Amino acid sequence: MTDYSHIGPNITKIRENLATAALAAGRDPADVRLIAVTKTYPAEAVAAAVAAGIKDVGENRVQEAVQKIAELRQLDGLAMPTWHLIGSLQSNKARIAVEHFDVIHSVDSVRLAKAINRHCASLNKLMEILIQVNISGEESKSGVAPEQLEKLLTETLEECPQLRIMGLMTIPPLDLPETARPVFKKLHQLMEDMKKKINHPRLIATELSMGMSGDFPVAIEEGSTMVRVGTAIFGART
Ligand SMILES: *Cc1c(COP(=O)(O)O)cnc(C)c1O
């Protein structure tokens, strides 16, 4: 039997650090959602996190999440968390993603947005999405280039009536606090710019998904509303 007794205390500690960072920045800690990133960890670990008060869970891979969701459905009395897809999504998996996730953080092309929209329409579902932006311009990272963001937003709003664009997401090159800070600042600024340029009822633009185990306090100082924390809750991934 694997021991999951560290999960609750880790979550308590992260919530304290989250609150400290928010208060120091003059923000309400309740405005920052803690998303527990459960990739590579089994359904039992997710259940332990939910028992410790986690309401939002993030997964990278559609298939892995589908399996865990099925296992969690077998557990009596478990309040199903909100499922966030934070890893890159291929258009051919859009249907399964739409069926299982509540929020998709990794939309980075109109083609993908349209695929999600099409499946949402056939399932009569509205989906909350975020646009992933590649701030640092690293080749290896997914995400739309900042210069392409306005065009992507405009076309997505025009062509995808089932989608509500909640905000922006980014992954910095390294999750070291002080190298990540300028990346977070830039994402925040981009969202403010877009809000000024585009006025549309489906552009909600209140969420900034940024910050992981190594840098979430800095992300909160820079305006994050969704931190995605894995290792600091569950331990190192093997
Ligand atoms: C794995 C992952 C995280 C969590 O990273 P930790 O360093 O374990 O907290 C956050 N966001 C994304 C997109 C990830 O893939």
Side-chain angles (χ1 to χ4, degrees):
M1 267 304 283
T2 318
D3 182 14
Y4 298 112
S5 61
H6 59 289
I7 291 175
N10 282 351
I11 290 169
T12 303
K13 202 166 126 232
I14 288 160
R15 285 209 185 282
E16 283 167 13
N17 294 344
L18 183 158
T20 303
L23 293 171
R27 303 183 55 204
D28 182 350
D31 292 341
V32 185
R33 262 200 270 184
L34 174 58
I35 300 176
V37 177
T38 53
K39 64 182 179 213
T40 76
Y41 292 98
E44 288 79 6
V46 184
V50 170
I54 286 292
K55 297 199 162 50
D56 294 273
V57 168
E59 282 279 341
N60 275 55
R61 295 219 179 87
V62 175
Q63 217 49 55
E64 187 182 336
V66 167
Q67 181 116 23
K68 274 176 225 181
I69 291 168
E71 286 178 52
L72 290 166
R73 287 214 175 103
Q74 308 297 313
L75 301 179
D76 274 346
L78 180 119
M80 202 46 109
T82 297
W83 289 87
H84 299 256
L85 180 60
I86 60 173
S88 58
L89 174 62
Q90 249 120 52
S91 299
N92 62 3
K93 299 231 176 80
R95 185 180 180 90
I96 324 175
V98 164
E99 286 170 345
H100 291 85
F101 286 91
D102 306 294
V103 188
I104 300 177
H105 292 228
S106 47
V107 178
D108 63 357
S109 71
V110 178
R111 181 185 134 90
L112 176 58
K114 282 162 87 173
I116 295 169
N117 183 71
R118 188 167 62 247
H119 296 301
C120 283
S122 78
L123 295 163
N124 199 16
K125 182 169 177 171
L126 297 177
M127 180 66 76
E128 297 191 349
I129 65 161
L130 287 85
I131 306 298
Q132 183 173 354
V133 186
N134 183 353
I135 299 283
S136 59
E138 274 181 301
E139 235 20 83
S140 61
K141 286 264 178 347
S142 34
V144 65
E147 312 77 61
Q148 301 295 322
L149 178 63
E150 186 177 355
K151 183 163 179 276
L152 171 57
L153 288 174
T154 309
E155 291 182 15
T156 301
L157 289 164
E158 202 164 291
E159 307 208 27
C160 304
Q162 307 298 116
L163 309 187
R164 301 174 78 224
I165 306 179
M166 304 309 293
L168 305 179
M169 180 271 224
T170 199
I171 307 172
L174 294 168
D175 64 339
L176 295 175
E178 295 311 321
T179 53
R181 188 188 294 277
V183 174
F184 297 151
K185 244 189 225 307
K186 180 116 187 267
L187 192 75
H188 194 166
Q189 189 57 52
L190 259 181
M191 191 159 83
E192 296 307 321
D193 292 349
M194 293 303 134
K195 267 200 277 203
K196 279 190 206 126
K197 283 191 177 161
I198 306 172
N199 188 8
H200 192 287
R202 277 182 280 104
L203 180 64
I204 314 300
T206 51
E207 305 292 335
L208 286 169
S209 169
M210 54 190 201
M212 322 201 316
S213 292
D215 58 17
F216 73 87
V218 169
I220 292 168
E221 288 169 21
E222 298 301 336
S224 175
T225 65
M226 294 173 158
V227 292
R228 311 178 306 262
V229 179
T231 320
I233 295 177
F234 299 101
R237 288 178 289 272
T238 47

